[in-house]
C-alpha cells in the first residue's frame, strides 16, 4: 500500500500521522480498541474515576475516551513498581474501587513471565477479577503481532459484582 511508510519492524508497518489523516480507513490497534470501549459505553456515561483499562494502549484509550486512569502508574504495560501493583490490587478488591474493567487479552500482557508483569502479580489480578467482577462482554479487535505470529485479540468488559 502506498500510504504505509517504509519503516518496518518484523511484519509490522508504521503509519505516519499525515497518512493516518489522509486515509481514515487505516485503523491502528489502539483506535480499534478505543472504539470498542466507546461502543460499550454508548448508552451510559464513561465513569471518570471508575474505569480501569488494562492494555498496552490504555493511555491512548483514556485520552480518546476523555477518561483517566484511577492508578498512579502511567501505563499498565509499564507497571514495574511493587507499590503500583499493590495499588491496582487494592482498587480491584475494594467495593469503593473501580466499577468497570476493560482487559486487553493481548498475549504479551497476560503471560506473566516478564519483568514488567511477574507471574504472581498477573495471577493476583486474575483472581481479583474473578472474585469481584462479572465478565459481561467480549469484543474482537483484530489481531496483534506477538514475537513470531499474529494472534487473535479481544477486549473483555467486566462490571463489579
Amino acid at each position: 500500500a502506498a500510504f504505509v511508510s517504509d519503516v518496518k519492524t518484523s511484519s509490522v508497518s508504521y503509519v505516519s500521522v499525515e497518512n493516518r489523516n489522509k486515509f481514515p480507513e487505516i485503523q491502528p490497534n489502539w483506535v480499534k480498541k478505543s472504539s470498542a470501549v466507546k461502543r460499550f459505553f454508548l448508552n451510559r456515561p464513561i465513569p471518570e474515576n471508575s474505569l480501569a483499562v488494562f492494555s498496552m494502549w490504555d493511555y491512548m484509550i483514556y485520552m480518546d475516551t476523555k477518561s483517566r486512569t484511577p492508578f498512579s502508574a502511567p501505563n499498565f504495560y509499564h507497571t514495574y513498581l511493587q507499590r503500583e501493583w499493590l495499588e491496582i490490587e487494592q482498587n480491584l478488591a475494594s467495593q469503593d474501587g473501580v466499577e468497570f474493567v476493560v482487559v486487553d487479552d493481548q498475549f504479551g500482557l497476560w503471560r506473566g513471565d516478564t519483568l514488567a508483569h511477574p507471574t504472581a502479580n498477573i495471577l493476583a489480578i486474575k483472581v481479583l477479577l474473578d472474585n469481584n467482577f462479572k465478565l459481561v462482554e467480549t469484543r474482537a479487535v483484530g489481531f496483534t503481532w506477538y514475537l513470531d505470529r499474529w494472534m487473535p485479540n479481544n477486549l473483555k468488559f467486566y462490571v463489579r459484582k
Side-chain angles (χ1 to χ4, degrees):
F3 51 82
V4 177
S5 71
D6 292 332
V7 181
K8 290 188 175 194
T9 303
S10 299
S11 70
V12 178
S13 297
Y14 290 94
V15 179
S16 71
V17 171
E18 177 186 15
N19 285 331
R20 168 76 176 106
N21 290 330
K22 285 181 189 175
F23 303 95
E25 68 275 10
I26 298 173
Q27 285 214 333
N29 277 348
W30 77 265
V31 172
K32 292 176 188 174
K33 294 172 185 189
S34 184
S35 295
V37 171
K38 287 177 181 178
R39 282 191 306 277
F40 178 78
F41 285 103
L42 194 59
N43 296 317
R44 61 187 139 204
I46 297 176
E48 188 170 319
N49 285 326
S50 201
L51 170 64
V53 179
F54 296 130
S55 172
M56 183 171 146
W57 304 107
D58 56 356
Y59 61 102
M60 300 293 281
I61 294 168
Y62 287 126
M63 178 192 68
D64 192 44
T65 60
K66 296 176 178 57
S67 57
R68 61 183 179 166
T69 178
F71 310 119
S72 59
N75 170 248
F76 179 67
Y77 190 69
H78 295 97
T79 305
Y80 293 104
L81 304 176
Q82 190 58 33
R83 68 176 166 75
E84 294 169 339
W85 284 105
L86 288 173
E87 177 189 24
I88 290 169
E89 290 175 21
Q90 289 168 352
N91 193 304
L92 294 177
S94 170
Q95 284 298 319
D96 295 328
V98 296
E99 294 175 47
F100 300 92
V101 177
V102 178
V103 173
D104 183 342
D105 74 356
Q106 180 182 344
F107 183 72
L109 289 176
W110 296 100
R111 311 191 305 186
D113 63 354
T114 65
L115 174 64
H117 296 128
T119 301
N121 296 58
I122 294 299
L123 291 176
I125 287 178
K126 288 179 178 180
V127 167
L128 286 165
L129 285 172
D130 287 344
N131 292 341
N132 298 294
F133 293 84
K134 177 183 175 187
L135 176 64
V136 294
E137 191 171 330
T138 299
R139 291 183 182 232
V141 288
F143 292 82
T144 299
W145 182 257
Y146 188 75
L147 294 179
D148 62 348
R149 65 191 175 279
W150 289 101
M151 298 189 73
N153 195 190
N154 298 292
L155 288 186
K156 296 179 178 182
F157 295 85
Y158 293 85
V159 175
R160 187 171 291 279
K161 291 180 181 176

